[in-house]
Amino acid sequence: MGRLCETEGLTEDQTEIIKAVRTYVEEKILPVATELEHADEYPQEIVDGLKELGIFGLTIPEEYDGLGESLLTYALCVEEIARGWMSVSGVINTHFIVAYMLMKHGTEEQKKKYLPRMATGDVRGAFSMSEPGLGSDVAAVKTKATQDGDGYRIDGQKMWLTNGGTSNLVAVLAKTDEGSDSVYKNMTTFLVEKEPGFGETAPGLTIPGKLDKMGYKGVETTEAVFEGHRVSADQVLGGATGQGFYQMMDGVEVGRVNVAARAVGIANRAFELAIAYAQQRETFGKPIAQHQAILFRLAEMATKVETAHAMMVKAARLKDRGERNDVEAGMAKMLAAEYCNEVVQDSFRIHGGYGYSKEYEIERLYREAAFMLIGEGTSDIQKMIIGRALLKDYQLKG
């Protein structure tokens, strides 16, 4: 390993966990990632290994059988996993968000019911906010939950569910009639249980199949169609309706730190591939790394990786201290995603024609990097969040 993406001030436990994950990536993920990705094959053996490492319960408190680690520890583990294969980090990302929402907003009964089994990976979470007609415009949600006896009936169509097939617990945002003038207070998060797989996975809930994507292969992304699916009132996250928007945004905030970590992991791997290839490939009688144009490019790539890593770490530590980090998470996600694409493109260029060949790993990274630009909100959305917050902080007086 090189000098990039090292983090100061870690505890001994954090260091050992990250070291174990790094070893697992080197031995179990990197050797098979490109083959599995090209085959669009679910990495079951890798996922089973992550269960044994305790990754699914990394941030779940010890009282619910988890490891009780911080967001920073989780983000650094995600960075390592994404360096091996970004899709694997997707397997645990939405699971982590649902577990976080339960920890922060769930009732004690909901925590006891789900968190111990989420810690072992027996219950796998998926996060469902987007719809065919909305992405960042959450206020436009159309999926409705109407009171039906002592429970609710859910009707509508959700989109872009990572782990939509393999999950058996989905946090679903739906519109409810709370009588509020604010659309944001008329949304509720429901904990929907289903069977893993495709087709009708619960009465009134259909997972049609995998969406075919440019990258982010292996992990499945799906739709979810609700037609009269009934849930009990006990399945309202936190036990109170009308809180769904705020619960989901809290989950997305930590998700942005996660996406930043994934972007750093991809960028770091792209840099590693580039600097190795540049020392092997010769032109005009010497390795291309000795040509100034390549040397300058490598220097810029490494600087971008380090900068994105530092911003991601800052955002995670703020959240761990219980402070609001919407600006820092937005900055980290935006910068890491943009830099990731720039670093991967530079690595692609250094590889020359070989970068266009599927035999080389950089081809896979090139397709994976694009997802970082849109996952958990586009760069433009991050700029809106950051800009509005800055105007409040720097508002002129008088």
Side-chain angles (χ1 to χ4, degrees), residues 139-280:
V141 63
K142 293 181 179 178
T143 298
K144 293 186 65 175
T146 53
Q147 281 195 297
D148 184 10
D150 59 353
Y152 292 84
R153 171 191 169 114
I154 303 178
D155 293 279
Q157 185 178 2
K158 307 300 281 187
M159 193 71 171
W160 309 119
L161 278 74
T162 301
N163 298 326
T166 51
S167 61
N168 47 12
L169 179 67
V170 186
V172 178
L173 183 66
K175 184 187 299 184
T176 49
D177 185 8
E178 308 301 325
S180 174
D181 292 335
S182 170
V183 65
Y184 300 107
K185 295 181 180 178
N186 289 320
M187 300 183 200
T188 300
T189 303
F190 293 90
L191 301 170
V192 174
E193 296 183 8
K194 70 176 190 66
E195 292 295 321
F198 300 101
E200 189 172 36
T201 56
L205 170 56
T206 300
I207 306 294
K210 293 198 304 183
L211 297 168
D212 194 13
K213 299 164 295 186
M214 177 179 77
Y216 201 20
K217 302 281 190 176
V219 60
E220 79 281 2
T221 305
T222 74
E223 300 172 73
V225 181
F226 292 88
E227 296 176 301
H229 177 74
R230 292 195 78 259
V231 294
S232 68
D234 293 339
Q235 297 304 103
V236 172
L237 180 62
T241 57
Q243 302 299 311
F245 174 79
Y246 307 101
Q247 294 164 344
M248 285 274 171
M249 290 303 102
D250 193 18
V252 166
E253 201 169 278
V254 295
R256 285 177 179 144
V257 175
N258 178 286
V259 172
R262 294 159 82 176
V264 174
I266 294 171
N268 191 20
R269 182 59 180 167
F271 171 78
E272 291 173 350
L273 294 173
I275 199 166
Y277 183 81
Q279 295 173 77
Q280 297 163 356

Side-chain angles (χ1 to χ4, degrees), residues 2-16:
R3 64 192 297 166
L4 299 186
C5 297
E6 294 298 320
T7 309
E8 293 184 358
L10 298 181
T11 66
E12 186 176 339
D13 285 346
Q14 287 176 313
T15 301
E16 288 302 311

Side-chain angles (χ1 to χ4, degrees), residues 55-364:
I55 297 300
F56 283 90
L58 191 61
T59 60
I60 293 174
E62 293 180 5
E63 63 185 295
Y64 301 109
D65 301 334
L67 297 180
E69 276 293 335
S70 63
L71 173 60
L72 175 62
T73 308
Y74 178 80
L76 293 175
C77 288
V78 165
E79 183 179 278
E80 294 292 340
I81 293 169
R83 174 181 160 269
W85 183 14
M86 192 272 288
S87 292
V88 177
S89 66
V91 172
I92 58 174
N93 178 36
T94 51
H95 175 88
F96 158 74
I97 293 176
V98 175
Y100 172 82
M101 290 170 65
L102 275 162
M103 290 186 290
K104 284 293 296 290
H105 306 287
T107 65
E108 188 57 35
E109 291 75 14
Q110 289 168 346
K111 293 176 184 178
K112 289 178 178 177
K113 180 178 180 181
Y114 293 117
L115 289 179
R117 292 185 293 148
M118 293 187 81
T120 62
D122 293 328
V123 169
R124 301 273 295 283
F127 178 83
S128 181
M129 183 171 67
S130 294
E131 297 182 0
L134 74 91
S136 301
D137 183 13
V138 184
V141 63
K142 293 181 179 178
T143 298
K144 293 186 65 175
T146 53
Q147 281 195 297
D148 184 10
D150 59 353
Y152 292 84
R153 171 191 169 114
I154 303 178
D155 293 279
Q157 185 178 2
K158 307 300 281 187
M159 193 71 171
W160 309 119
L161 278 74
T162 301
N163 298 326
T166 51
S167 61
N168 47 12
L169 179 67
V170 186
V172 178
L173 183 66
K175 184 187 299 184
T176 49
D177 185 8
E178 308 301 325
S180 174
D181 292 335
S182 170
V183 65
Y184 300 107
K185 295 181 180 178
N186 289 320
M187 300 183 200
T188 300
T189 303
F190 293 90
L191 301 170
V192 174
E193 296 183 8
K194 70 176 190 66
E195 292 295 321
F198 300 101
E200 189 172 36
T201 56
L205 170 56
T206 300
I207 306 294
K210 293 198 304 183
L211 297 168
D212 194 13
K213 299 164 295 186
M214 177 179 77
Y216 201 20
K217 302 281 190 176
V219 60
E220 79 281 2
T221 305
T222 74
E223 300 172 73
V225 181
F226 292 88
E227 296 176 301
H229 177 74
R230 292 195 78 259
V231 294
S232 68
D234 293 339
Q235 297 304 103
V236 172
L237 180 62
T241 57
Q243 302 299 311
F245 174 79
Y246 307 101
Q247 294 164 344
M248 285 274 171
M249 290 303 102
D250 193 18
V252 166
E253 201 169 278
V254 295
R256 285 177 179 144
V257 175
N258 178 286
V259 172
R262 294 159 82 176
V264 174
I266 294 171
N268 191 20
R269 182 59 180 167
F271 171 78
E272 291 173 350
L273 294 173
I275 199 166
Y277 183 81
Q279 295 173 77
Q280 297 163 356
R281 177 80 162 109
E282 292 190 1
T283 62
F284 306 105
K286 60 183 178 181
I288 63 173
Q290 294 181 20
H291 294 294
Q292 191 178 70
I294 300 297
L295 197 63
F296 281 11
R297 182 163 282 170
L298 290 170
E300 292 173 358
M301 292 164 68
T303 303
K304 289 174 180 178
V305 173
E306 280 289 86
T307 303
H309 173 81
M311 292 197 71
M312 180 274 291
V313 169
K314 179 182 179 181
R317 282 181 163 151
L318 275 175
K319 194 72 170 178
D320 284 332
R321 292 201 299 264
E323 299 179 33
R324 186 169 181 177
N325 78 335
D326 54 341
V327 170
E328 289 76 13
M331 286 179 171
K333 191 274 171 185
M334 177 184 71
L335 190 82
E338 296 291 344
Y339 276 180
C340 173
N341 276 266
E342 292 172 13
V343 169
V344 169
Q345 188 175 90
D346 279 339
S347 182
F348 176 83
R349 289 177 174 179
I350 287 172
H351 280 78
Y354 289 106
Y356 207 64
S357 167
K358 288 192 173 184
E359 293 181 18
Y360 281 71
E361 191 178 339
I362 189 62
E363 181 271 342
R364 168 171 62 83

